[in-house]
Structure formats: structure tokens, C-alpha cells
Amino acid sequence: MNKYIASLFSVLLVSNLLWGQGTITLSGRVEDRESGTGVGFASVGLQHSPLSTVTNLDGYFTIKLPRFFSSDSIIFSSIGYNVKKISVESLSKPDPLVVKLIQSEKILDGVVVTDSLTASEIMHLALQKMKENHPSDPASMEVFYRERQLLDGAYVSLVEAALTIYDEYNVKKRKSPLRTKVRVNQLRRSLVYKHPFNSWWQQDNLMMHSWRLNPIPYDSRSLEKSAKKDEFKRVGMASVLGKSAFVVETDNTDFWKTTYYIQNGTYAVVRVEENFDEAIDGAKHWEMQGDSLPLNVHFKTRHVTVDFNKIDNKYHPTYIRVDASHEYHHEDKLLAQFGIIQDFIINDINWEDPTVIERNEATRIGKSLVSKDYPYNEDFWNSYNVIKETPLETQLIKDLEQRASSLSVQFEQNQKSTDKE
């Protein structure tokens, strides 16, 4: 499956609308018009609300809307394409609706840039306008989180959670995004995999570690230092959210490069990527003491994406994805290859009356999500916005059900944790 299709594509919506119980359920697929293949990770959201989702790896999506949004419109967007707006009411037609989205004018690598701004100057402007473009007042977010772990290419663990995240967004008063408070409202999981060489993967809160990867606005101080040292470079222009954006990169880390998409004119940061691939960037490894023996860790891949959307005149993070893998070696012998894929969808944002999370109900960075008991609420999950799971990645279901019973039974059986606090 090609995740990044750089051609004209269409959104095929075979709409399934359920108007009962005060909700509307829209289901469909984002497809490439020429090849018919699904387009993964396209944004699907309401025009006048932060309620949104993304398509899954195969381009499928489902979004559940309160009925009073029936007069609103759905916005479809993906990097490199013009934004398309479709009214919710028009999706109720019985015939399948095909919406053709046109690729934005090609302004990527190789473009002749007519302005004289350097990469560091662009970053300076983005930092100067941070408070104007990005949240600076407290807000709470309703977030869907999905985590999948792999061993030697096969899925061994699935965790999904409905979260409330409270953020003061006052960078001057804080040293780290780890002070952000997160409450787990619902959780379901497959059988819990026990790592044989490095138990950190089952003991620490992997969700919290990945949430902190959002550099806006938490890394503004380090970005300022890099801009002063002129450590950025311009690599072209791109179309994001239907508007042109400067593409600025930095290579000032030992492992991965970071790419910032900064909107032309407003200087809002609309997308951030971190990328490393051993096949492209060369071998990287380090030594560590595992649970039972010394290990040599080979860094294989790391891809992080943070997407922002404009909501109430501020660019909020609306989707975060982490896809990484590494190998464990001992005395030149390959022991295992581990991988992790994490998705965050920000389903809703409340800045008018944010939900404040008390310290005693917040999850902890040093405690795994599966270190506590969470009752499995099937009715809740049937009505909650997730990355479409029908079909969930076929291989994931196949791998997990080979290890035990059906996934639904695993959700039921794993309400109780084997790792008590």
C-alpha cells in the first residue's frame, strides 16, 4: 500500500448514515482516482468544529457526528492537495458520492524561490507569531489513542484508549510538556505482550512519551537557539491545508532530521515531521544493558508526523502519528526486531470551559497504560470516534488472533491487569 500518493485522487463515499439516537455516522473511503488504491491518513473533519478523524491505512474512515451538525460541512484535506468541502446533508443521498480532489500546483522540491528569506529567518518569524497562531490559553482535548507493537514483523499487542488531555499552554511557566495532565477514560487491549530483553516497553507510559513529541510550542526555546545558529535550510514549498507553506529542515540531531511546514504569510506551523531510515541515513546504534544481558540496539526507522488544523483562529494539533522500529543484537547475533505504531486523533477541543484534570486522576509517565484495571465498555467503543477499525489492518487482527482467541474476547479477558500498581 502506497501511503503517500502524489497524484489526483478522489474521495469515494459509500455513505452509511444513521440518524437515530441523535447521531450521524458517515462512513467512506479515500481513493486515488487513477489507481483506485486507498489514501491513508487524510484528514476528515467538520468545518465549524474540532470534531475530526483520519482515514486508516487503506483509506477507510468513519466519523460519528451529533445530529445538530447536519447543516455543517465535512472538510477533506491531505498534504499536496486542495481542500474539499462537502455538506453533511448532501451525504445523505442514496447514491454513492464521488468527490474529485485536485492536486495542488506542484511547488515542491526544485522550485525557484523568489523571496529572500532564509530558513532561519522563516523560523524566527514563526516563533515571533507563535502566540498569535498557536494556543496560549488553557484547553482540554478529547483524544483517541491507538498503540500497536510488533515483534519480528508480526503484531503482538494492541492498546486503544479514550483520553482527556488538559494543557495550560503556558510555556513560560513550564519546563516540559510532561506536566501536561492526561486522564484515561476508557481502555481496551489485547493480550499483553511481555518483552524478553527490555521490559521498558511494557513498564513506561509509551503514550505520554509520544505525546511530548509535538514540538509546538514546547520546543520553542531550542528552535530559537537553532535559528540563531543558522541550523535550518530551505528545501522547497508544499501545499498544506490548501495553502502554500515553506518547507524548512534541520539536521542538528544525531539520528533524524526534522521538517517544519510553515504557512506562507501567517508563518503558522501546520505540519512537523521527523524522519530516519537506516537505508537512507546510514547505520545508527548504541549500547545498553538489557534485562538479562548487554545489548547493541540498531536504529532502523523512525517516522513522526504532527498535523495542525485551524480552529477558532488558532492552529491546534489534530493528529499525531509515530512509526518506529529497532533491532536488539547481542555479540553480533540478532535477537529480535521490535516496532511500535502510535496514533493520536484529537476528536474535540474545549478552550471556553476546559476540563481540568486533578493530579490524583492523571496518568503517570513512569506507569504503563496497562498497569491499572480498566473495565471494557463495548457500548462506549461502538459509539466512539476511532481510526476506522472495520476493517482494521487485516494483518493486525490475524496476528493477534493467532496468539489467542478473537480480538473481542481478548478485550473482555484483559479488563484486569497482570501488572498491578
Side-chain angles (χ1 to χ4, degrees):
M1 176 63 64
N2 186 351
K3 299 180 183 178
Y4 307 101
I5 301 176
S7 65
L8 192 68
F9 72 85
S10 68
V11 178
L12 175 60
L13 299 176
V14 184
S15 298
N16 177 19
L17 277 76
L18 302 178
W19 294 83
Q21 299 181 350
T23 63
I24 307 167
T25 300
L26 306 178
S27 295
R29 193 184 189 214
V30 178
E31 292 186 345
D32 180 88
R33 191 181 72 167
E34 295 180 354
S35 67
T37 56
V39 179
F41 316 119
S43 176
V44 181
L46 285 170
Q47 181 180 12
H48 298 111
S49 168
L51 190 62
S52 64
T53 189
V54 296
T55 60
N56 70 4
L57 184 64
D58 297 322
Y60 291 97
F61 73 92
T62 290
I63 185 168
K64 301 177 188 296
L65 312 174
R67 190 171 183 177
F68 54 77
F69 283 121
S70 60
S71 60
D72 206 338
S73 296
I74 301 290
I75 302 296
F76 298 88
S77 64
S78 183
I79 187 169
Y81 302 94
N82 293 330
V83 172
K84 184 67 178 182
K85 179 173 69 173
I86 309 171
S87 69
V88 173
E89 290 179 341
S90 70
L91 299 179
S92 63
K93 296 179 180 179
D95 297 329
L97 177 64
V98 177
V99 179
K100 298 177 182 179
L101 299 185
I102 300 175
Q103 182 185 358
S104 301
E105 181 182 357
K106 187 169 179 59
I107 51 176
L108 300 175
D109 295 346
V111 69
V112 177
V113 180
T114 57
D115 64 79
S116 59
L117 289 174
T118 67
S120 293
E121 288 171 338
I122 293 170
M123 183 58 71
H124 273 304
L125 288 167
L127 292 169
Q128 289 174 9
K129 293 180 176 290
M130 191 71 70
K131 189 172 182 179
E132 177 183 334
N133 289 323
H134 296 274
S136 56
D137 296 321
S140 60
M141 292 158 277
E142 299 304 316
V143 179
F144 167 68
Y145 171 71
R146 175 178 288 166
E147 172 193 308
R148 290 138 289 172
Q149 295 185 36
L150 301 96
L151 171 66
D152 297 330
Y155 291 98
V156 292
S157 175
L158 169 67
V159 178
E160 295 180 315
L163 313 171
T164 298
I165 299 180
Y166 174 74
D167 202 323
E168 293 181 356
Y169 278 124
N170 192 333
V171 179
K172 291 183 179 180
K173 291 184 179 181
R174 51 203 301 200
K175 297 180 180 179
S176 167
L178 296 182
R179 292 177 60 187
T180 298
K181 294 180 180 178
V182 181
R183 183 181 69 206
V184 178
N185 302 317
Q186 297 284 341
L187 184 141
R188 61 181 179 182
R189 60 178 180 259
S190 68
L191 291 175
V192 180
Y193 175 69
K194 299 292 185 181
H195 294 269
F197 306 113
N198 185 3
S199 58
W200 181 88
W201 291 96
Q202 65 199 47
Q203 292 176 348
D204 253 43
N205 193 321
L206 305 181
M207 177 271 295
M208 289 289 289
H209 281 284
S210 293
W211 179 259
R212 67 181 293 191
L213 294 177
N214 173 16
I216 307 299
Y218 304 124
D219 277 351
S220 59
R221 292 188 182 94
S222 62
L223 291 175
E224 288 172 354
K225 292 179 181 179
S226 295
K228 288 180 180 179
K229 295 179 181 179
D230 199 24
E231 294 178 333
F232 296 97
K233 64 181 179 180
R234 291 184 63 165
V235 294
M237 302 286 287
S239 177
V240 184
L241 301 176
K243 297 181 180 180
S244 64
F246 300 104
V247 185
V248 174
E249 283 185 359
T250 179
D251 287 313
N252 62 340
T253 67
D254 293 332
F255 290 95
W256 54 82
K257 67 180 179 182
T258 305
T259 305
Y260 300 88
Y261 295 78
I262 300 173
Q263 196 172 79
N264 189 5
T266 66
Y267 297 96
V269 179
V270 291
R271 183 181 176 93
V272 179
E273 297 175 353
E274 293 179 354
N275 290 293
F276 173 86
D277 192 319
E278 183 187 54
I280 299 172
D281 302 307
K284 305 286 184 180
H285 57 88
W286 65 93
E287 303 290 338
M288 67 166 287
Q289 178 60 46
D291 293 342
S292 57
L293 70 172
L295 300 171
N296 188 280
V297 184
H298 291 233
F299 203 24
K300 304 299 289 185
T301 61
R302 174 188 167 93
H303 304 290
V304 178
T305 302
V306 184
D307 281 326
F308 300 82
N309 270 314
K310 191 174 185 180
I311 303 167
D312 196 31
N313 295 318
K314 298 284 187 177
Y315 284 86
H316 294 261
T318 52
Y319 178 56
I320 300 174
R321 181 177 176 84
V322 179
D323 189 341
S325 65
H326 62 272
E327 292 178 347
Y328 288 127
H329 293 247
H330 175 65
E331 295 181 348
D332 297 325
K333 179 181 179 181
L334 173 62
L335 301 179
Q337 182 178 51
F338 285 107
I340 185 168
I341 305 172
Q342 297 162 287
D343 294 286
F344 298 83
I345 296 179
I346 290 77
N347 275 319
D348 204 359
I349 302 172
N350 186 347
W351 52 86
E352 294 181 352
D353 184 23
T355 300
V356 178
I357 298 173
E358 301 299 330
R359 183 176 181 179
N360 64 341
E361 59 182 353
T363 188
R364 293 158 56 188
I365 184 69
K367 280 291 185 179
S368 166
L369 284 183
V370 299
S371 65
K372 294 176 64 176
D373 297 340
Y374 294 96
Y376 171 53
N377 186 337
E378 184 176 6
D379 291 339
F380 170 85
W381 289 104
N382 287 337
S383 61
Y384 186 67
N385 271 331
V386 304
I387 299 176
K388 186 171 176 62
E389 58 174 336
T390 308
L392 192 63
E393 292 91 333
T394 304
Q395 192 62 42
L396 183 147
I397 296 176
K398 180 180 178 181
D399 290 346
L400 292 178
E401 293 188 347
Q402 280 183 345
R403 297 177 58 83
S405 52
S406 71
L407 198 54
S408 59
V409 172
Q410 291 185 49
F411 289 155
E412 288 284 354
Q413 291 177 341
N414 285 277
Q415 297 183 47
K416 300 297 182 182
S417 171
T418 57
D419 180 20
K420 299 293 184 182
E421 292 211 64

